[in-house]
């Protein structure tokens, strides 16, 4: 308890790094003015749990230097939240979080790196995992859970890995169960993605040329795969 959450790396980043490259000799390698999470020969892997904007300068440098780069984005599908007593440090409640992550969640971050997707040296990998989340029961409200301290998220199982190496492969983010023609609402239903982000997901896929507008029905656009 004294160590969890105090490291510069959170567990989900650190453990995915060990999963992808168990040999520490190839981790945290200095490349120019940057440190690569993993580097073996000409291959660089960067693990990013959020805010792809921070990666842009790194990606630009790696590509200029001719490195093959893979960005790995972990997505938590199922998580259990463990509430920890701030005094005894015991887990006093464990509950499944109703929010599920899906591979389409990467579209929330993809805006920042969209120009690299068709670069032959660039790949994007989405790793779907289950995880245990830990929070201190030190917030406010009758349950002490509002604005409680977030400690860490620890991955427990790797479920699936989806790799995208070109614009055309973004089709992997379109649910197979989706009809030939669909709306944003249909996309949400079939992908089980978060409704508040669905509009931006579909808009980005359209801007990247993965889908196109067929017509408009009322206030909704109808799309199809290109």
């Amino acid at each position: 308890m004294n160590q969890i959450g105090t490291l510069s790396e959170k567990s989900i980043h650190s453990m995915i790094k060990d999963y992808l490259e168990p040999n520490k000799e190839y981790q945290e390698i200095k490349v120019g003015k940057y440190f690569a999470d993993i580097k073996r020969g000409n291959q660089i892997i960067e693990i990013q749990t959020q805010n792809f904007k921070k990666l842009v300068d790194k990606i630009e440098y790696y590509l200029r230097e001719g490195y093959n780069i893979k960005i790995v984005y972990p997505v938590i599908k199922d998580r259990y939240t463990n509430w920890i007593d701030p005094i005894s440090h015991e887990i006093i409640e464990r509950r499944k979080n109703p929010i599920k992550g899906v591979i389409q969640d990467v579209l929330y971050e993809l805006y920042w790196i969209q120009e690299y997707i068709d670069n032959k040296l660039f790949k994007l990998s989405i790793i779907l995992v289950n995880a245990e989340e830990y929070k201190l029961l030190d917030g406010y409200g009758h349950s002490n859970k509002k604005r409680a301290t977030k400690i860490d998220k620890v991955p427990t199982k790797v479920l699936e890995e989806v790799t995208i190496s070109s614009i055309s492969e973004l089709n992997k983010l379109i649910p197979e169960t989706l009809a030939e023609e669909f709306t944003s609402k249909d996309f949400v239903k079939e992908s089980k993605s978060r409704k508040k982000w669905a509009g931006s997901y579909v808009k980005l896929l359209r801007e990247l040329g993965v889908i196109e507008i067929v017509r408009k029905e009322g206030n909704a656009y109808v799309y199809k795969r290109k």
Side-chain angles (χ1 to χ4, degrees), residues 131-183:
E132 295 282 332
E133 181 179 33
Y134 296 90
K135 292 183 178 181
L136 279 182
L137 203 56
D138 63 350
Y140 63 90
H142 73 279
S143 63
N144 295 327
K145 292 180 179 179
K146 291 183 179 179
R147 297 192 181 277
T149 301
K150 297 177 181 179
I151 301 173
D152 207 352
K153 297 185 188 79
V154 181
T156 56
K157 186 178 182 180
V158 173
L159 303 171
E160 181 183 4
E161 183 172 1
V162 177
T163 300
I164 292 167
S165 55
S166 66
I167 292 290
S168 62
E169 289 190 349
L170 287 173
N171 273 300
K172 295 177 182 179
L173 301 180
I174 301 177
E176 293 180 358
T177 54
L178 207 56
E180 184 178 347
E181 295 184 356
F182 59 92
T183 63

Side-chain angles (χ1 to χ4, degrees), residues 14 61 76 79 94 97 100 146 158 164 167 178 184 189 214:
S14 177
Y61 177 77
I76 299 175
R79 79 179 71 183
R94 181 175 180 266
N97 194 310
K100 290 178 178 284
K146 291 183 179 179
V158 173
I164 292 167
I167 292 290
L178 207 56
S184 292
K189 181 181 178 182
V214 178

Side-chain angles (χ1 to χ4, degrees), residues 38 40-46 58-72 113-125 163-167 169:
I38 297 168
R40 262 187 181 267
N42 204 47
Q43 174 70 58
I44 287 176
I45 298 175
E46 291 287 347
K58 255 188 176 184
I59 293 171
E60 289 278 1
Y61 177 77
Y62 292 154
L63 292 178
R64 281 200 308 270
E65 295 299 309
Y67 290 103
N68 292 298
I69 176 170
K70 179 160 76 170
I71 303 300
V72 175
I113 61 167
Q114 56 184 293
E115 65 183 282
Y116 309 115
I117 297 171
D118 253 351
N119 191 305
K120 64 181 180 179
L121 298 178
F122 182 88
K123 288 184 180 179
L124 173 66
S125 178
T163 300
I164 292 167
S165 55
S166 66
I167 292 290
E169 289 190 349

